[in-house]
Amino acid sequence: MDSVTGLFLHPMRLRPAFFSVVFCLLTSLPAAAVSLPDLRIALQVASSMGYAGDSLFDLEYANVGGQSLELDLLLPDGPGPFPVIVSIHGGSWTKGTRNDGLAFLQVSRGYAVANIDYRLAPGSTFPAQIEDVKAAVRWLRANAARFNLNPGAIGAMGYSAGGHLAALLGTTGEIVELDGTGHGNLGFSSRVQAVVDYFGPTDFLKIAEQAPSCIPGDANDPAAPPSVLIGCPIQECPEKAAAANPIRYVTPDDAPFLILHGLADCLVPWQQSQILHDALEEQGVESKLILAPGLKHADPYFLLPVFQREVDSFLDRHLKNRTVRRTRPARR
């Protein structure tokens, strides 16, 4: 569940040629030689290639107990109104910044991207993180006209811990108990219209039994990320752990999901994504699960065209050309 802090840089100008750069740089090396610095180089080269668009930084979307929660809004070129992707960073829920995300790759394809902060553990324990993410969605809807956004076409994308929060966002749109207090814009819905979940954990209580032999440590350790997020050893407070499981909230009206997970993941077992996918399908929710042989956690090969085409197609199908309208407010 650890992220690669600083892995995904924050380019403000991109072009579709980005993917040819990534592909060439990664495939020029044997698979065993590909490392995270190679991906950083690919992103640095791509970010210098240029594309016209606007970037608005340090926008406060909520203030909780004096702590400012901010987002950066990257706007594409064109007339709009733009579909929106909320980008949620990873980092074991304990580290990372809003600049560490994958969704900015979609700006050159006509999407507005909101790279968001959220409160981190152990200083803030669950449900603080999902309260913040939901507040960001409501803020975007409340300010849609100001930034020429389509409030009826908001998706979520996250990796690792951010994938967990994106999945929760996709299944808790109308769960007002997780909206938080003092976050504002409660007259707007936090429901999203699509979720892209990269290797996010789901059921913390099952990680240990699903863990491959390569997983470091014990997922049930009180010092492990799930227990740090919850604020208590997960096996001693199973109800709190269950409250953080997106599977718990699945209903037939949830957003469609695209889930990607490497079968060689040594941090989050691939079965964590499988059980989420199964639960969504059982309720009739559209879900596609891509299990990638040989790919590890935060593997740079997830950026190759074979996977990016799946992401692009999924987002376009569910977020582009949607009617511009305010989605229904949350039930209270």
Side-chain angles (χ1 to χ4, degrees):
M1 282 151 283
D2 198 10
S3 76
V4 186
T5 303
L7 169 61
F8 304 117
L9 306 182
H10 193 288
M12 291 157 282
R13 303 288 183 263
L14 293 173
R15 288 195 315 196
F18 168 84
F19 293 107
S20 65
V21 174
V22 173
F23 183 80
C24 290
L25 285 174
L26 293 184
T27 57
S28 65
L29 298 169
V34 174
S35 64
L36 300 179
D38 299 321
L39 182 57
R40 293 192 187 99
I41 293 170
L43 293 175
Q44 287 169 347
V45 172
S47 68
S48 69
M49 298 183 67
Y51 113 95
D54 294 322
S55 301
L56 306 171
F57 299 102
D58 307 323
L59 301 173
E60 184 177 86
Y61 71 82
N63 191 296
V64 183
Q67 180 176 350
S68 179
L69 299 173
E70 296 180 340
L71 61 81
D72 298 334
L73 187 61
L74 313 181
L75 298 173
D77 197 18
F82 307 114
V84 188
I85 303 172
V86 177
S87 182
I88 311 172
H89 69 81
S92 304
W93 309 281
T94 63
K95 56 182 179 291
T97 75
R98 63 181 183 266
N99 296 336
D100 303 332
L102 286 168
F104 73 80
L105 303 178
Q106 297 296 330
V107 181
S108 63
R109 301 186 61 253
Y111 290 89
V113 171
N115 294 330
I116 69 168
D117 282 335
Y118 57 87
R119 287 173 289 168
L120 301 175
S124 298
T125 55
F126 188 85
Q129 294 73 23
I130 188 59
E131 291 174 353
D132 298 348
V133 172
K134 286 164 69 73
V137 175
R138 296 197 305 271
W139 185 91
L140 289 165
R141 285 207 164 94
N143 290 275
R146 174 183 172 192
F147 298 114
N148 201 16
L149 309 176
N150 182 351
I154 298 180
M157 180 184 296
Y159 69 92
S160 194
H164 164 254
L165 294 174
L168 266 175
L169 190 57
T171 61
T172 64
E174 305 302 328
I175 307 298
V176 298
E177 293 81 5
L178 295 177
D179 281 349
T181 58
H183 284 69
N185 299 303
L186 293 176
F188 293 84
S189 174
S190 61
R191 181 180 290 271
V192 294
Q193 282 68 58
V195 174
V196 179
D197 168 10
Y198 286 91
F199 41 85
T202 54
D203 189 339
F204 301 159
L205 298 172
K206 292 183 177 179
I207 292 178
E209 68 183 62
Q210 297 169 342
S213 59
C214 61
I215 199 166
D218 179 0
N220 290 331
D221 190 304
S227 293
V228 174
L229 172 68
I230 298 303
C232 59
I234 56 174
Q235 296 296 342
E236 296 179 15
C237 51
E239 184 54 33
K240 285 188 176 181
N245 183 355
I247 296 171
R248 174 175 181 162
Y249 306 101
V250 172
T251 53
D253 60 348
D254 287 340
F257 273 66
L258 174 64
I259 309 169
L260 302 96
H261 211 128
L263 288 174
D265 195 321
C266 289
L267 289 177
V268 178
W270 62 265
Q271 293 92 336
Q272 290 280 290
S273 287
Q274 182 72 62
I275 58 177
L276 172 60
H277 170 71
D278 292 345
L280 291 164
E281 285 204 324
E282 184 177 343
Q283 289 294 317
V285 179
E286 178 185 334
S287 177
K288 182 170 185 178
L289 173 62
I290 298 175
L291 296 174
L295 267 62
K296 301 177 181 179
H297 198 75
D299 199 308
Y301 276 105
F302 276 112
L303 290 185
L304 291 179
V306 65
F307 300 109
Q308 196 59 41
R309 282 193 294 268
E310 293 280 355
V311 174
D312 294 349
S313 175
F314 174 80
L315 292 172
D316 291 351
R317 187 154 40 89
H318 294 291
L319 296 181
K320 282 192 173 179
N321 302 316
R322 291 181 66 97
T323 302
V324 179
R325 61 179 177 84
R326 171 178 165 173
T327 57
R328 59 182 180 180
R331 296 189 296 269
R332 299 194 177 277

